[in-house]
Amino acid sequence: MAQAKSDAQLAEEVDVRSSRVLRWRFVMNLALMLFDALVYFATSMIVLVVSHGTNLVTTRLQLNLPIDPWLYSAACAAIYVYCMHVAGVYHRHVFADGYQLNMLLLKGGFIAWVAICALNFIIQCNIFFYMVCLTSLIVWVAEMVVRFIARVILTSKHRKGEYSYPTVIVGSPEGIGQILKFLNQRRQLNYKPIRLCPIRVNSETGLIEADPNTELLSKEVHESWNSPIDVIEYGPQLAGRIAETGAQTVMVTDVLDRFSDNLSTFALQMESVNLEIALITSALDIAEHATQMRNIQGMSIMTISLPQYSPSAQIKKRVFDLVVSTIAIILSSPIMLIVALAIKIEDGGPVFYKQERIGLRGKPFYIHKFRSMRVDADAHLKEVLAAQGQELGARYKLKHDPRITKVGNFIRKTSLDELPQFFDVFMGSMSVVGPRPQRSFEVAEYDPVYATRLLVKPGITGPWQVSGRNDLNEEESRQLDVSYVQDWSVMGDVVYILRTIGTVLHPSGAY
């Protein structure tokens, strides 16, 4: 009975901590919503005044009834805030992510623009179309500036440990290390690791037990987090001991498989003291699919699908590729001309380099790049690899490749060598965004999971190019590629393009 009382007290303490977090998150979102409404209201009124559009009337049914401009702007501001909510702008995981947040602001602004245009059509008021467009554009720019300032302030608070979620990470030492590295790179997610709980599956009983490999865990923590984190041992009353640490979230990385008895039992223990559970799923987890339940003659059937692979979505991606590649070819033509001249002047060899790669569904195609190596580079690949103690394979790395020319070194670091690939995109063998194209000997090493990357066209840029490139290990590269195959969208591709611009300006892992 005493233990039950203790659990109840711990649950109440966790609930109080969660309430505090929910309170500051609610206050922050409310402040953002009010500010967004104020920005749209003020911008709308200014545009109306400057455009002499304050004498609003509705011409519906030839009534010519007056409309209060203040009331009209307030209604549009309310629509704008609602559309931002629908777009996911106020979600806790995107607030501090610059690229994703700006795209969601654009998405929400577009939805609001459509909704306000529809409102004007319904009430048939004398608002000019350009006034709605100008208001939307000004608000979008203002919102990006304000969100940038708010992001800087919030990030500084996070570094001090404020406005974060104290988290206990549960999983294998390798899984814990992987998540620590991810959280170290994504501080904006607000998860603050305060304890680690290494576990493993007992091969005889199939039950979860503590993993005693402290040496491996220490190595993973040192490489991924750079500062020690206390360990809490898996065992009886784990939920209560986690609650006593001040944790709010328990993040499960691996070992505890979804839909398993082990996870169900673990989740019940954590939820009994009101701890939040964050489950890290695999790249091919069913949770990312659209699901639909049907009952057919007493039998429940669940169907799953990935909406982005529908014919309409494929057409959208192809149109997106055509538009982006056309614009890129036109804008980069002067740069391509300068690069071509520099390559020709350096050694007199060919400007372009053509190589066979494996594309959509395993079909070979030729990729075109500006030549960055000596003319005889391919013939000496095995020789260079051997000199550095490496072999041909999907993940060979050459930080100091003697075959690269001086011009080639520059255009590689700035990614200018890939500009001719926009012609490959225009012709349809590649996409602007997608997994990096690989050679046949690399594809030969794919396992069934990694082979799913062949279900989409390879891209000029993608998750690998903007996430560290050659500095990533094999597992990280695989996960990025497979996750993209499952989660791609046109809006997501736009985010990758914006992140690529940042990577070009501040290159990392390019060699």
Side-chain angles (χ1 to χ4, degrees), residues 10-11 59 64 86 194 205 212 276 282 320 337 350 423 461 464 478:
L10 289 171
T59 59
N64 291 324
V86 171
I194 60 172
T205 65
E276 176 190 49
S282 67
F320 175 80
L337 179 60
F423 290 99
T461 187
W464 180 80
R478 286 164 56 93

Side-chain angles (χ1 to χ4, degrees), residues 13-166:
E13 291 176 5
V14 174
D15 190 47
V16 170
R17 290 197 297 268
S18 299
S19 298
R20 283 199 294 264
V21 172
L22 290 174
R23 193 179 303 118
W24 71 253
R25 202 164 71 200
F26 172 78
V27 170
M28 180 178 295
N29 279 336
L30 181 61
L32 287 173
M33 289 179 181
L34 292 175
F35 182 83
D36 291 347
L38 180 62
V39 168
Y40 197 97
F41 176 82
T43 304
S44 176
M45 286 300 302
I46 292 173
V47 170
L48 288 175
V49 171
V50 172
S51 303
H52 307 288
T54 53
N55 296 321
L56 300 181
V57 295
T58 175
T59 59
R60 189 171 183 82
L61 303 177
Q62 288 75 44
L63 294 177
N64 291 324
L65 296 176
I67 299 177
D68 189 333
W70 295 82
L71 179 61
Y72 170 81
S73 295
C76 291
I79 292 173
Y80 176 78
V81 170
Y82 176 75
C83 292
M84 286 294 165
H85 172 71
V86 171
V89 169
Y90 305 113
H91 193 279
R92 71 181 192 180
H93 285 163
V94 303
F95 177 78
D97 191 330
Y99 295 109
Q100 188 176 3
L101 179 60
N102 288 336
M103 291 311 303
L104 289 178
L105 287 172
L106 179 61
K107 178 182 178 180
F110 176 76
I111 297 174
W113 174 80
V114 172
I116 292 171
C117 286
L119 172 67
N120 293 339
F121 176 77
I122 292 172
I123 65 177
Q124 294 184 8
C125 68
N126 58 335
I127 290 284
F128 290 107
F129 178 70
Y130 84 89
M131 296 167 66
V132 180
C133 296
L134 181 60
T135 300
S136 298
L137 179 61
I138 295 174
V139 169
W140 182 57
V141 174
E143 288 282 79
M144 286 196 298
V145 173
V146 170
R147 286 305 201 281
F148 173 78
I149 296 173
R151 189 162 60 249
V152 171
I153 296 174
L154 188 61
T155 301
S156 66
K157 296 288 186 180
H158 289 166
R159 293 194 183 100
K160 299 176 183 179
E162 301 178 33
Y163 305 127
S164 59
Y165 307 97

